[in-house]
Amino acid sequence: MNTPDATHVISAPEAAALAGITYRQLDHWARQGWVSPSVDRGRGRSARRLYSPDDVVRLAALRHFGGARADGALGRSVGALRLPEGDVLVVADADGTAECVPAARLRARVSRGGPYLVFDPAPLRARLAARAGGTEPARGRVRRSA
């Protein structure tokens, strides 16, 4: 099992918030086996599921593809993705497969034809890196202006 340092460990409620989904949606996808926590699966009554930044990116990709009503077909494929570092995009086909493609090769990849969906994890990865570095404001607090 993967064991990142403490700054890269994300609780289930935080993972859901960072990915832009509800905790209930996260729980459903975990039961489906689409995305499981790679840090700690949280077995037992009081155990907590702990996610890695890559797990959160997978959750956000599922949310993105779900907006196009494609999450059911892609769930297992997105959940199994290895997310390399660098400028990559997640490309999903109508047949329910997803793969990581270097951004520079996207045009060649989609020129094969057929419908496809593209998810860019770069903005979320930047937020996760800022969170790990302690430069992102705390989540969950609502700032109200007068």
Side-chain angles (χ1 to χ4, degrees):
M1 205 175 286
N2 197 6
T3 55
D5 65 70
T7 61
H8 292 88
V9 174
I10 303 166
S11 70
E14 287 177 295
L18 288 164
I21 60 173
T22 64
Y23 181 82
R24 186 176 180 157
Q25 185 69 58
L26 170 69
D27 198 41
H28 172 71
W29 287 344
R31 281 193 312 267
Q32 296 295 319
W34 294 350
V35 177
S36 59
S38 63
V39 178
D40 188 349
R41 295 192 189 281
R43 303 208 192 280
R45 279 185 72 105
S46 62
R48 293 177 43 178
R49 292 177 293 179
L50 299 175
Y51 292 82
S52 72
D54 280 350
D55 295 335
V56 174
V57 170
R58 285 185 202 91
L59 290 167
L62 279 171
R63 178 189 52 81
H64 177 78
F65 296 139
R69 306 264 189 242
D71 59 334
L74 290 168
R76 293 200 188 281
S77 183
V78 170
L81 278 178
R82 297 277 184 232
L83 297 165
E85 293 296 320
D87 194 13
V88 297
L89 301 169
V90 179
V91 178
D93 289 330
D95 65 358
T97 59
E99 64 180 313
C100 289
V101 176
R105 294 186 37 203
L106 178 64
R107 184 178 305 254
R109 168 60 183 82
V110 298
S111 66
R112 295 184 211 164
Y116 59 88
L117 300 166
V118 178
F119 173 70
D120 182 1
L124 178 57
R125 281 186 165 173
R127 281 185 39 225
L128 291 167
R131 177 190 175 276
T135 59
E136 184 179 53
R139 289 267 185 209
R141 297 183 188 154
V142 178
R143 294 183 183 171
R144 300 187 198 278
S145 57

